[in-house]
Amino acid sequence: MAPGDISGINGTALTDLADLAVLGDQLVGEVITPSDGARYDEARGIFNAMIDRRPAAIARCENEEDVVRAIRFARDHDLPIAVRGGGHSVAGMSLVDGGLVIDLRGMNTVTVDPDARTARVGGGAIMSELDRGTQAHGLATTGGRVSTTGVGGFVLGGGAGWLDRAFGLACDNLLAVDLVTAQGERLHIDEEEHPDLFWALHGGGGNFGVATTFTLRLHPLTAMTAMLLLWRPEAGPTVVRAYRDFLESAPDRIGGGLLYCTGPPEEFVPEDMVGTLVCAVLITYIGHEEQARDLAAPLLRLGPDAEMINELPYADLQCLLDDPPGYRNYWSAEYLDSFPDQAVDRFCRRASDMIVPSPSQHVLFPQGGAVTEGPSEYPLPWRASSWIVHPFGLWDDPADDARARQWAHDTRADVRPWSHGAVYLNFIGREGRDRVVAGFGAENYRRLAAVKAQYDPDNVFRLNHNIEPRPPGP
């Protein structure tokens, strides 16, 4: 490594790279710095192209001991720490200017025990690695709706996906975590060991340490059907009402969502719909196509302008709506107790403000099933809501930044009269402390702050939807 200056937090500087060279020699993995040129730029690249941060160094960890050494190094040199798994945080929380990124992507092993129906998953694994690993055994667990999402951030934040109405949230299936604390201490956490921390990790995010391994419960899954139905946008209000009524009585094996999006350039899509605004319904069904068609008859009777209906492996379904990297991103969400006709009309009208063509999505997700009926003790008050409105913006041109943000804010405002008040924090960026508290509920936040005070009293892990440490008391 060539010598140079690397500034840390509060003006702290590593006057040469000797210390980083020592850290690099200690790791099984490697340390990447700005002096590494293109490799450094590649290593700091994340999903949201709006984020351009320059860490002092990136520690690519290969095992738990690497994580311990990286944390201790950062603390010894007063460097802020960011933790990177999949790099999908819309706010770019996996990067930090002038600090140390603990990059877990090398710790991505997935080991399945088919008899116990569990998977042991490395902290840097992405969703496709988990899905492909479990699929070989006819098993699955709730995963994110994008195959490149990091398993760690997804699970620790709660974890909603196509299977959640049947199998519960991802964190409902979390059985154990191996974690390195801010002090560099290694902990194994489950219902019996550190139960307070086990509770906090069911939705509390990366506030409590670096999770190096997860043990997840798996479920049998041998047949999966996906139905992608498209209409021209003028049919939207009728389709949305029908979809709402359909989901309110659908079995838990039905998942999916409704979205306004840009018509894709696929063979099944009429030419005049490609590159224009369309209203789409994605129905996911745990079972065979014939059963899925029978259940979805109320929507099929509306006569979609285009349709694709196939049985396919779950891991392939997970890639179906993958969003391409390299776009500018802004997302938000509003969780609703109900979705009456007035809300439907507002939702449909606001779709016209999307940037089209682009990969943006104006989304309505259902909850219910095992999400609503799941464990009520975890700090996830949003699971009790019925519907999610999720403006998910991706676009190319920086000139559209203000427009895209405004569309997201206006979408939330349109449906706020029916808001539950709570929000899934993985669906939003930095929206202020009140929204963080809303993600957990006020009483849960106080309890989480007490757990944080025990395991990270100095708030070392603060580059997240932050829970500020506060010991219990009056």
Side-chain angles (χ1 to χ4, degrees):
M1 297 181 185
D5 291 335
I6 299 180
S7 295
I9 193 170
N10 299 327
T12 300
L14 306 176
T15 54
D16 58 46
L17 293 180
D19 287 344
L20 282 173
V22 170
L23 176 63
D25 290 341
Q26 291 175 341
L27 301 185
V28 175
E30 62 178 337
V31 174
I32 300 175
T33 72
S35 64
D36 290 310
R39 289 182 66 245
Y40 171 79
D41 288 333
E42 182 278 329
R44 70 186 180 93
I46 58 173
F47 186 76
N48 186 356
M50 293 180 75
I51 308 299
D52 182 20
R53 297 189 181 129
R54 298 184 63 82
I58 299 166
R60 283 190 156 170
C61 299
E62 296 288 335
N63 57 31
E64 192 173 59
E65 183 58 31
D66 279 0
V67 174
V68 171
R69 287 173 172 157
I71 290 173
R72 289 176 176 168
F73 176 89
R75 298 211 65 185
D76 288 346
H77 292 84
D78 197 23
L79 293 171
I81 294 173
V83 182
R84 173 168 184 154
H88 267 257
S89 159
V90 68
M93 295 175 183
S94 52
L95 286 180
V96 57
D97 281 324
L100 182 70
V101 173
I102 296 178
D103 187 335
L104 302 177
R105 284 178 287 179
M107 301 171 62
N108 63 345
T109 302
V110 176
T111 305
V112 177
D113 183 336
D115 295 326
R117 291 182 180 171
T118 60
R120 187 169 166 82
V121 185
I126 61 173
M127 206 56 60
S128 62
E129 293 164 336
L130 171 59
D131 296 335
R132 301 287 176 191
T134 60
Q135 185 170 279
H137 303 277
L139 299 168
T141 195
T142 299
R145 298 176 176 97
V146 177
S147 68
T148 54
T149 298
V151 174
F154 175 75
V155 172
L156 293 174
W162 305 129
L163 302 179
D164 57 16
R165 284 168 46 86
F167 298 157
L169 300 171
C171 74
D172 296 341
N173 295 287
L174 178 62
L175 302 176
V177 180
D178 292 331
L179 180 134
V180 181
T181 70
Q183 292 73 38
E185 181 183 5
R186 297 184 234 194
L187 301 179
H188 177 78
I189 302 145
D190 57 25
E191 284 186 318
E192 295 183 354
E193 296 186 62
H194 310 285
D196 55 343
L197 188 50
F198 186 65
W199 171 83
L201 294 175
H202 285 70
N207 274 281
F208 307 98
V210 179
T212 57
T213 310
F214 300 86
T215 302
L216 300 173
R217 181 188 298 110
L218 305 178
H219 305 264
L221 181 62
T222 55
M224 195 83 204
T225 301
M227 310 176 70
L228 184 59
L229 314 176
L230 305 183
W231 286 265
R232 291 174 175 84
E234 54 267 24
T238 298
V239 173
V240 176
R241 285 179 173 83
Y243 176 77
R244 174 198 62 192
D245 297 344
F246 165 68
L247 256 294
E248 286 179 350
S249 59
D252 296 349
R253 289 173 294 165
I254 291 280
L258 179 145
L259 59 153
Y260 283 88
C261 61
T262 299
E266 301 290 345
E267 289 185 7
F268 72 96
V269 181
E271 186 176 349
D272 69 301
M273 295 176 70
V274 174
T276 67
L277 185 68
V278 300
C279 179
V281 169
L282 175 65
I283 297 173
T284 63
Y285 176 66
I286 300 173
H288 294 288
E289 180 180 332
E290 182 179 358
Q291 299 164 312
R293 285 181 178 272
D294 288 344
L295 289 166
L299 293 171
L300 293 173
R301 283 196 293 267
L302 294 178
D305 296 308
E307 64 180 52
M308 180 187 69
I309 304 175
N310 287 315
E311 287 190 32
L312 75 172
Y314 171 64
D316 291 349
L317 166 64
Q318 287 282 72
C319 303
L320 190 62
L321 294 181
D322 269 4
D323 310 297
Y327 283 87
R328 305 173 77 79
N329 281 242
Y330 190 82
W331 327 327
S332 193
E334 199 71 35
Y335 278 64
L336 310 180
D337 286 326
S338 63
F339 196 59
D341 286 349
Q342 187 179 1
V344 170
D345 292 339
R346 293 183 179 186
F347 176 79
C348 293
R349 283 197 299 268
R350 189 60 64 185
S352 63
D353 291 344
M354 285 174 54
I355 297 171
V356 176
S358 81
S360 293
Q361 300 171 7
H362 187 61
V363 186
L364 176 70
F365 284 132
Q367 291 211 120
V371 177
T372 303
E373 297 164 6
S376 60
E377 68 270 22
Y378 296 141
L380 302 169
W382 46 268
R383 72 187 307 152
S385 67
S386 300
W387 295 95
I388 309 154
V389 169
H390 182 32
F392 188 92
L394 300 95
W395 65 98
D396 271 320
D397 190 346
D400 288 326
D401 288 0
R403 175 185 168 191
R405 288 193 184 97
Q406 192 62 50
W407 161 66
H409 297 161
D410 290 344
T411 298
R412 283 189 57 212
D414 286 344
V415 297
R416 196 166 294 134
W418 303 279
S419 177
H420 179 274
V423 63
Y424 175 36
L425 296 175
N426 280 2
F427 271 1
I428 71 172
R430 297 189 187 278
E431 297 186 6
R433 185 179 183 277
D434 288 348
R435 285 279 270 175
V436 173
V437 174
F440 305 119
E443 184 55 41
N444 286 329
Y445 184 88
R446 284 189 285 272
R447 182 177 170 189
L448 288 164
V451 176
K452 180 76 176 258
Q454 180 179 355
Y455 292 95
D456 183 12
D458 299 321
N459 204 12
V460 170
F461 298 108
R462 59 185 176 274
L463 299 178
N464 44 43
H465 290 296
N466 193 234
I467 297 165
E468 298 173 7
R470 184 181 178 89

